[in-house]
Amino acid sequence: MPSFDPDGERVLILAPRGRDAIVMAQLLYKSDVLTTVCADGAAWLDGLRTSVATSIVTEEALLDVDPTALNAWVSSQPPWSDFPFIMLATRQAGRRTSSAAAMIERLGNVVLLERPINAETLLSAVSSALRVRRRQYQARQHIREREDAQQRLRIANETLERRVEERTREVEAARETLAFALDSAGMGSWDLDLVNDTARRSCRHDAIFGYDVPIASWGMAEFLNHTVPEDRLLVETAFATAVGTGTLDIEYRMSRADGAIRWIAAKGQVEYGNDGRPVRMAGIVVDRTDQRNTEEALRQAQKMEAIGQLTGGVAHDFNNLLTVIVGGLDMMIRKPENTERVVCLAEAAMNAARRGEQLTQQLLAFSRRQMLRPQTINPNRLLTEFKPLAERAVGGALELRLDLDALIDPIRIDPAQFEAAVLNLVVNARDAMEGGGSRIVVRSRNLHLDTAAVAGKGVPPGAYVEVSVIDQGSGITPETMARVFEPFFTTKEVGKGTGLGLSQVYGFTRSAGGFIGIDTELGVGTTFRLLFPRSAEPAGDEVGTGGGTLPLRRATEGDTVLLVEDDEQVLGMAVESLEELHYRVVVARNAAEAVVHLQGVERIDILFSDVMMPGGMNGSQVAIEAQRLRPGLKVLLTSGYVANLEEGQVFGRGDLPVLNKPYRRDELAHSLRLVLGGKRC
């Protein structure tokens, strides 16, 4: 059997004719690859028996090698080895001779390179062969480890009988030790006779159930009598299942003899008779109340730490924005006569407010409480329309390439949130490539994920659409990977990122019923994969994210808005905006007042209601009641936060338009025009 060195990285060269061997050796030497040049076939065979990783051999030189000796060497390789050869072949007009073909076939793992070849091709082939050999060395190591484990297992089996005899003599002493240990750990032992429904227990067992002294008898009836009614079905099912599976593992609430409610855990094993029927179940029981309380306290502490981090980040960013807004308003109040200065300060305050709105939307996306307007769309169409914006974000120094599957399945998502998520990933990819790389790829493809692929993702297996953003950047370190989706965690310099971008992407993807995958390699690049479930509905016409071109709509004579808003300052602003648009406004400060107006006879053309309101009835419910009382009544809802929706749920009913807070007067006018004109906004 040949000798192999796991650290062997040398390349064996057999090219005795001309200067091929010298040229190749010099080329590989410049690439830090060790080489050995063989003078003839015999020396080459001797070299193969030493520590080399691959060999370059010319076709004509191979024909001079003793085929019997070469075949013996190839056949003597251990199971893990498939030595890689690189053969420089001569270009031929016809097929090779049978002897030449047989020699190549005998080598097995051969890469044929037709001459003439360039240096890059040769170096690439050598590099690939070295990688293959390293993997073989790794496989050999795994085989050796397995053989070592088998050897240890054989030794263990040989000594097992002796150890069993020794352990048998220790059983009696061990029982006493075990009983003492269980009692010290607060565990009670039990042994239930399933045939006669009687049980032997330790003193600790009965003490856990609240008895100062052991009781006379114990069976399933007594056990169930101590179970709280809400958990009784759970316990009965667990015992019934254990009879079939052989194992009991349950945690439930029980009522002690003194009436105290405690959490206990019961674990047990079933013993079967010769006929296969269960005859015995034995195990332990332990009071877990204190441990559960400690775990809950720890969870609360972790939650408070996360809230502290989140609120600290929000306070920092919002204080910066409020500094601009408050400072600008203060200077406007001090010198209102300087119109040009007031306009400049007002624009700065408006920009700061818009940044605050964006920050709020990112927070809502992270918490999965943003209002969604999902549509069944073709993601390729969105990505194609979105490309010019993404290219501007990337800049001219990098190439943005779309690699889209023409047969992509439709998905149901919010288009605006989708574009924001992809833009976040593209910008992150751009920043990751500041030290090198030239191309960012946005790719779409269809996938079918099995149970193993979605394990731990919180989504079912099935058909998915993957949208990936691939960069050639520096990669993500393991330390950063562990925190990559944390809000306000960022590796960027101060002022270049809030740390909410990936949190927003995570929240949006989860809201859409999907999940995120990350593949990264330091120094190579990172791929962010957004996976969305395939929609069974056909793709429709997507609604763009850009603003409309409709002119500002003022009310026609007599148009009346029933305004429902519980915040006085927002109410005042809304009333002023509506009256400036020439609407007549009927004010309701809660749902009950709104219903009273709706039950009356006064004219109401449109209901404009906030969503989140106190009093047990929200804006969506008011809208439904309004359309019941006044069929055909137009409805426009507004909100900046949806507090009680499940993940991915669309706000309210599917046919209720929503205006996001905060909004400006022209946005309100535009939405009113669409609703009163019978269109969605």
Side-chain angles (χ1 to χ4, degrees):
M1 181 180 295
S3 172
F4 294 94
D5 180 1
D7 297 323
E9 292 284 338
R10 288 189 304 113
V11 177
L12 204 62
I13 299 176
L14 177 60
R17 300 178 186 177
R19 300 183 69 255
D20 286 353
I22 297 174
V23 172
M24 287 187 290
Q26 291 174 344
L27 175 63
L28 294 175
Y29 177 78
K30 291 179 180 179
S31 298
D32 296 327
V33 178
L34 299 177
T35 61
T36 297
V37 177
C38 301
D40 52 32
W44 182 65
L45 285 173
D46 290 338
L48 289 176
R49 298 184 181 97
T50 63
S51 299
V52 292
T54 186
S55 176
I56 304 172
V57 58
T58 60
E59 183 175 6
E60 61 273 12
L62 186 62
L63 296 176
D64 295 333
V65 176
D66 181 0
T68 303
L70 178 58
N71 184 58
W73 182 88
V74 171
S75 301
S76 67
Q77 295 184 87
W80 58 266
S81 177
D82 188 9
F83 190 85
F85 293 92
I86 301 170
M87 192 176 83
L88 305 186
T90 303
R91 187 184 299 273
Q92 298 185 11
R95 300 180 63 181
R96 287 183 172 79
T97 64
S98 58
S99 60
M103 182 67 75
I104 296 173
E105 178 68 22
R106 187 176 299 112
L107 292 179
N109 188 4
V110 180
V111 174
L112 287 174
L113 300 179
E114 284 195 349
R115 292 179 290 188
I117 61 172
N118 57 43
E120 183 178 357
T121 301
L122 181 63
L123 289 173
S124 176
V126 170
S127 178
S128 177
L130 291 175
R131 286 196 301 271
V132 167
R133 195 57 172 167
R134 293 189 195 106
R135 287 195 291 269
Q136 292 178 11
Y137 289 146
Q138 292 171 357
R140 181 191 63 175
Q141 182 62 27
H142 293 324
I143 292 173
R144 286 181 174 176
E145 291 173 355
R146 186 178 63 182
E147 291 174 347
D148 290 343
Q150 291 174 342
Q151 177 64 19
R152 289 193 297 270
L153 180 60
R154 283 193 295 270
I155 295 173
N157 287 335
E158 292 171 357
T159 59
L160 179 60
E161 183 175 356
R162 175 178 54 81
R163 294 177 60 189
V164 168
E165 293 175 354
E166 294 174 354
R167 293 294 296 166
T168 301
R169 292 191 297 267
E170 299 171 357
V171 165
E172 292 301 324
R175 284 179 178 174
E176 182 179 348
T177 303
L178 176 60
F180 179 77
L182 289 174
D183 189 68
S184 300
M187 297 180 179
S189 61
W190 50 273
D191 190 342
L192 178 63
D193 185 335
L194 297 176
V195 178
N196 300 309
D197 193 27
T198 58
R200 293 180 298 171
R201 300 97 52 209
S202 66
C203 295
R204 172 66 65 176
H205 174 281
D206 288 6
I208 289 174
F209 283 87
Y211 297 99
D212 295 332
V213 295
I215 60 175
S217 63
W218 186 271
M220 279 300 301
E222 289 75 18
F223 186 84
L224 292 174
N225 285 340
H226 281 276
T227 305
V228 298
E230 296 83 359
D231 291 354
R232 180 159 183 155
L233 179 59
L234 173 69
V235 173
E236 290 175 340
T237 303
F239 270 89
T241 303
V243 169
T245 62
T247 302
L248 174 72
D249 190 351
I250 186 173
E251 190 167 318
Y252 68 101
R253 291 167 296 172
M254 67 90 175
S255 176
R256 285 166 47 100
D258 56 10
I261 304 298
R262 306 288 290 180
W263 279 95
I264 66 171
K267 298 179 182 293
Q269 196 78 20
V270 179
E271 181 181 317
Y272 299 89
N274 294 332
D275 57 359
R277 298 174 59 185
V279 296
R280 177 188 178 196
M281 185 184 300
I284 59 98
V285 62
V286 60
D287 189 323
R288 290 201 69 249
T289 308
D290 294 340
Q291 183 178 350
R292 286 181 66 94
N293 292 340
T294 302
E295 291 171 353
E296 180 62 26
L298 176 60
R299 281 192 293 269
Q300 290 297 327
Q302 292 171 335
K303 185 186 300 182
M304 293 306 297
E305 181 181 356
I307 291 174
Q309 180 183 0
L310 181 62
T311 54
V314 172
H316 175 270
D317 283 8
F318 266 106
N319 279 335
N320 287 341
L321 301 176
L322 289 173
T323 299
V324 177
I325 297 171
V326 173
L329 293 175
D330 178 60
M331 287 185 283
M332 283 188 275
I333 292 172
R334 292 177 183 275
K335 293 183 179 181
E337 69 281 355
N338 189 338
T339 305
E340 183 178 351
R341 184 168 178 266
V342 167
V343 171
C344 181
L345 291 171
E347 289 177 348
M350 177 62 75
N351 289 335
R354 284 302 183 191
R355 285 165 55 200
E357 178 186 3
Q358 182 182 15
L359 180 60
T360 302
Q361 291 301 318
Q362 289 177 318
L363 285 170
L364 292 176
F366 169 70
S367 63
R368 287 170 266 169
R369 297 298 186 185
Q370 78 275 37
M371 288 182 293
L372 300 177
R373 294 187 181 91
Q375 301 173 20
T376 301
I377 56 98
N378 181 332
N380 286 355
R381 178 175 174 180
L382 275 184
L383 293 170
T384 302
E385 294 175 351
F386 162 78
K387 186 180 180 183
L389 174 62
E391 286 178 330
R392 288 194 295 273
V394 168
L398 298 175
E399 175 192 1
L400 179 67
R401 179 182 299 177
L402 297 185
D403 179 12
L404 307 180
D405 184 349
L407 300 179
I408 201 70
D409 290 329
I411 55 178
R412 187 164 179 80
I413 56 171
D414 183 310
Q417 294 286 341
F418 175 75
E419 290 184 1
V422 176
L423 181 61
N424 264 315
L425 296 179
V426 168
V427 170
N428 278 356
R430 177 202 66 191
D431 294 342
M433 293 169 61
E434 290 181 351
S438 60
R439 184 172 62 249
I440 299 173
V441 178
V442 179
R443 181 180 65 191
S444 69
R445 59 173 177 165
N446 297 322
L447 294 175
H448 189 280
L449 303 181
D450 56 20
T451 303
V454 299
K457 307 296 184 184
V459 297
Y464 284 79
V465 170
E466 178 184 283
V467 176
S468 303
V469 177
I470 307 164
D471 67 55
Q472 300 172 330
S474 56
I476 304 175
T477 64
E479 295 78 12
T480 301
M481 275 288 290
R483 305 183 60 190
V484 72
F485 294 121
E486 286 186 14
F488 295 103
F489 172 76
T490 178
T491 57
K492 299 179 182 179
E493 297 177 12
V494 175
K496 292 190 176 182
T498 64
L500 276 173
L502 290 180
S503 300
Q504 179 188 22
V505 175
Y506 174 85
F508 157 68
T509 309
R510 296 297 295 173
S511 295
F515 66 96
I516 301 179
I518 305 177
D519 301 322
T520 186
E521 184 176 350
L522 293 179
V524 177
T526 300
T527 299
F528 277 89
R529 302 182 295 115
L530 308 183
L531 293 108
F532 304 96
R534 181 185 67 187
S535 175
E537 302 174 4
D541 293 333
E542 295 88 349
V543 177
T545 59
T549 58
L550 293 173
L552 187 68
R553 183 194 192 278
R554 297 185 183 277
T556 57
E557 184 177 354
D559 278 356
T560 302
V561 177
L562 173 56
L563 173 62
V564 188
E565 174 62 62
D566 63 294
D567 188 289
E568 288 294 334
Q569 291 183 324
V570 176
L571 178 66
M573 184 277 297
V575 169
E576 184 172 346
S577 296
L578 290 168
E579 290 179 345
E580 193 172 290
L581 293 169
H582 298 170
Y583 287 95
R584 189 174 74 85
V585 183
V586 177
V587 172
R589 288 174 170 79
N590 54 53
E593 291 182 16
V595 172
V596 171
H597 287 294
L598 291 166
Q599 290 172 337
V601 296
E602 60 187 321
R603 174 178 174 178
I604 298 175
D605 297 286
I606 184 169
L607 169 68
F608 180 41
S609 174
D610 188 18
V611 176
M612 305 305 298
M613 289 186 297
M617 192 175 187
N618 62 35
S620 179
Q621 294 167 324
V622 171
I624 295 171
E625 179 66 13
Q627 292 180 334
R628 185 188 70 82
L629 294 171
R630 299 193 180 198
L633 178 67
K634 303 295 185 180
V635 175
L636 175 63
L637 300 178
T638 180
S639 182
Y641 174 61
V642 184
N644 55 358
L645 295 183
E646 297 297 330
E647 289 184 12
Q649 184 178 348
V650 185
F651 171 76
R653 299 192 322 182
D655 57 351
L656 295 181
V658 183
L659 175 63
N660 288 340
K661 288 183 178 180
Y663 55 82
R664 293 176 295 179
R665 191 198 64 167
D666 58 342
E667 294 171 336
L668 174 60
H670 178 75
S671 297
L672 290 170
R673 176 182 178 87
L674 291 176
V675 173
L676 288 172
K679 300 178 181 179
R680 281 292 303 270
C681 59

